[in-house]
Amino acid sequence: MVIVMRHKATDEEVAQVVGQIESLGFKAHLSSGEERTVIGVIGDERPVEPETFEVLPGVEKALRILKPYKLASRDFHPDDSVVRINGHSLGGQQVIIMAGPCSVESREQLMDAAAAVKAAGAHVLRGGAFKPRTSPYAFQGLGLKGLELLREARDEFRLPIVTEVMSPQEVTLVAQYADVLQVGSRNMQNFALLHAVGEIQKPVLLKRGLMATIEELLMAAEYILSHGNTRVILCERGIRTFETATRNTFDINAIPVLKSLTHLPVIADPSHGTGKWELVAPIARAAVAAGADGVIVEVHADPAHALSDGAQSLTPDNFNKLVSQVRCVAQAIGRTV
Ligand code: PEP
Ligand code: MN
C-alpha cells in the first residue's frame, strides 16, 4: 500500500502516519517529492484496510498496489529517480556512457582501454575482476589484483568504476574499490547477493537475467530497495530466445516498458545483447532512441586477443564512432551525452 500525503502535509502528520504503520508491524519507506510525500507500507499489508490510514490528518489517499513490487514502482515514486555516480547523474537529461573491457586482464590492457574510452567521452569505466564464466575452465578474472588495477585506472583517468560482485561475502571488498557494483545476469535472482548489496550505500547495476521477465527483474530490484539501498540501476542485456543469429535477443521493448513501470534509471548493454561487435553501435543507437538513460559497452584495444568476449568488443576507433552516433541520437530526442 502507498499513502499519499496532502500537498503541504506537516512533518508531524507524516510522523503520525509512520507511527501508525510501525505500530501495525510494518516498515515505512518515505519518498519526498517536490509536490508531496508518499509513504510505502512494507510487509504483507493485505489484512489492513486503506481507511486505517485515510482517517489520519494530512493523508490524501491510501492505495493498494497490486503489482508484486512496490518501491520500484512508479505508483510509489512518480518522478524519475536520478542515481548519482560521483559527478554524474544517471536517470536525468544526460545519457551516461559506461565502457571498458569485459575483463581486467593486465595493467597494460586496462590502461589502454581506459585511456581510449576516456578520450572518446565515456563517463564510467567498466571491467570485470570477478568473472561469472559459463565454463569453469575459462578465464575467471584477476580477482583482487583486478580490483587494484581498476583503482589505478580510476585514479589515473578520473573515471568512476563499475565492476561485478558475485557473492555476498565479496560485497564489502568490491565496494571498497567500485563506485557502482554490478550484479550480473546470472546472479539476478541470487537473493543472498541482492540482500547484501541492499545493505550498502553504493549504486547497484542490476542486469536482467537471461531468462527473466521484466516483472522478475523489477522484483529483484525490489529486494535491493527493500533492504534500504535506493540507488538501483536496471540494465537490459538481452534475453535467450529461439533466435540463434545473435548471442542474445536484445529486448528493445524492455526499455520503454521499464521506463513506464518504474522510476529507476534504465541502461542498455548492446555488447551482451548482440554478442557481435558490428551490431553493438546500431543497438546502442536504438536503445537511446527508445529512452535508455545510458549504455554500457565492451571495449578492447585488441579484441582478437581478449580473454573474454572479444567477438563483441569494440576497438577504440569503433567505440569513438559509437559515441558520436549516440550523441546525435540523444540530441534528436532532446538529451545530451
Ligand atoms: C559482463 O558484464 O561482462 C557480464 C558478464 O554481463 P552479463 O551478466 O550481462 O552476462
Ligand atoms: Mn562480457
Side-chain angles (χ1 to χ4, degrees):
M1 193 177 306
V2 291
I3 298 160
V4 182
M5 300 301 292
R6 283 185 211 286
H7 182 52
K8 294 203 176 124
T10 64
D11 290 349
E12 291 71 42
E13 287 168 341
V14 171
Q16 194 183 350
V17 174
V18 170
Q20 173 82 307
I21 293 170
E22 290 174 352
S23 72
L24 291 165
F26 303 114
K27 278 205 278 181
H29 265 264
L30 258 67
S31 163
S32 308
E34 276 180 18
E35 281 291 307
R36 58 189 79 238
T37 297
V38 178
I39 308 172
V41 181
I42 306 305
D44 182 4
E45 82 301 358
R46 277 174 299 182
V48 182
E49 292 303 323
E51 292 73 43
T52 317
F53 300 105
E54 281 174 340
V55 295
L56 297 177
V59 172
E60 183 168 302
K61 57 186 176 213
L63 303 166
R64 283 194 196 283
I65 295 194
L66 300 173
K67 299 191 181 86
Y69 49 90
K70 297 187 178 96
L71 302 173
S73 143
R74 273 224 187 254
D75 302 332
F76 171 59
H77 192 293
D79 300 330
D80 285 340
S81 280
V82 174
V83 172
R84 302 275 303 163
I85 304 173
N86 299 12
H88 307 292
S89 297
L90 175 60
Q93 192 261 355
Q94 194 183 14
V95 173
I96 296 294
I97 302 199
M98 308 185 183
C102 175
S103 305
V104 179
E105 301 169 7
S106 66
R107 175 176 287 112
E108 192 191 354
Q109 172 255 8
L110 180 63
M111 298 303 161
D112 286 353
V117 305
K118 174 80 183 193
H123 309 102
V124 178
L125 176 66
R126 64 149 289 149
F130 294 95
K131 293 300 302 176
R133 303 306 301 284
T134 303
S135 163
Y137 307 118
F139 177 59
Q140 304 286 309
L142 297 180
L144 179 58
K145 178 75 193 155
L147 295 178
E148 286 166 357
L149 291 173
L150 284 166
R151 174 173 287 168
E152 272 186 44
R154 177 183 193 276
D155 294 345
E156 183 164 342
F157 296 99
R158 301 193 162 278
L159 284 169
I161 299 295
V162 55
T163 194
E164 180 154 357
V165 59
M166 294 204 301
S167 76
Q169 295 75 24
E170 282 160 357
V171 168
T172 314
L173 173 73
V174 176
Q176 282 166 20
Y177 292 84
D179 299 285
V180 179
L181 280 84
Q182 174 173 323
V183 173
S185 199
R186 291 158 191 79
N187 270 321
M188 188 202 86
Q189 285 185 321
N190 178 338
F191 298 112
L193 181 60
L194 298 176
H195 183 154
V197 295
E199 285 184 342
I200 58 160
Q201 284 309 323
K202 285 224 169 167
V204 176
L205 170 54
L206 177 64
K207 298 188 90 175
R208 180 176 180 184
L210 48 161
M211 302 282 275
T213 64
I214 289 173
E215 187 167 275
E216 286 162 346
L217 171 61
L218 289 168
M219 287 197 277
E222 188 81 10
Y223 266 89
I224 303 173
L225 297 167
S226 67
H227 285 288
N229 189 350
T230 55
R231 297 163 77 189
V232 179
I233 303 155
L234 303 175
C235 180
E236 163 59 34
R237 49 77 72 206
I239 48 174
R240 183 163 290 181
T241 67
F242 59 81
E243 183 53 73
T244 54
T246 49
R247 178 179 180 185
N248 290 294
T249 298
F250 186 84
D251 182 7
I252 193 83
N253 296 347
I255 293 169
V257 169
L258 283 167
K259 291 298 293 180
S260 77
L261 294 175
T262 179
H263 53 91
L264 299 172
V266 178
I267 69 166
D269 176 347
S271 305
H272 294 87
T274 61
K276 295 188 173 170
W277 72 265
E278 324 83 280
L279 304 179
V280 173
I283 298 305
R285 300 193 301 258
V288 172
D293 297 304
V295 292
I296 182 163
V297 174
E298 290 184 340
V299 176
H300 198 291
D302 182 11
H305 293 101
L307 297 183
S308 62
D309 287 351
Q312 66 193 35
S313 297
L314 293 185
T315 59
D317 269 0
N318 285 329
F319 177 64
N320 233 326
K321 290 183 193 143
L322 176 148
V323 175
S324 325
Q325 294 168 359
V326 160
R327 187 169 281 126
C328 292
V329 175
Q331 273 163 9
I333 55 168
R335 298 181 85 163
T336 52
V337 166

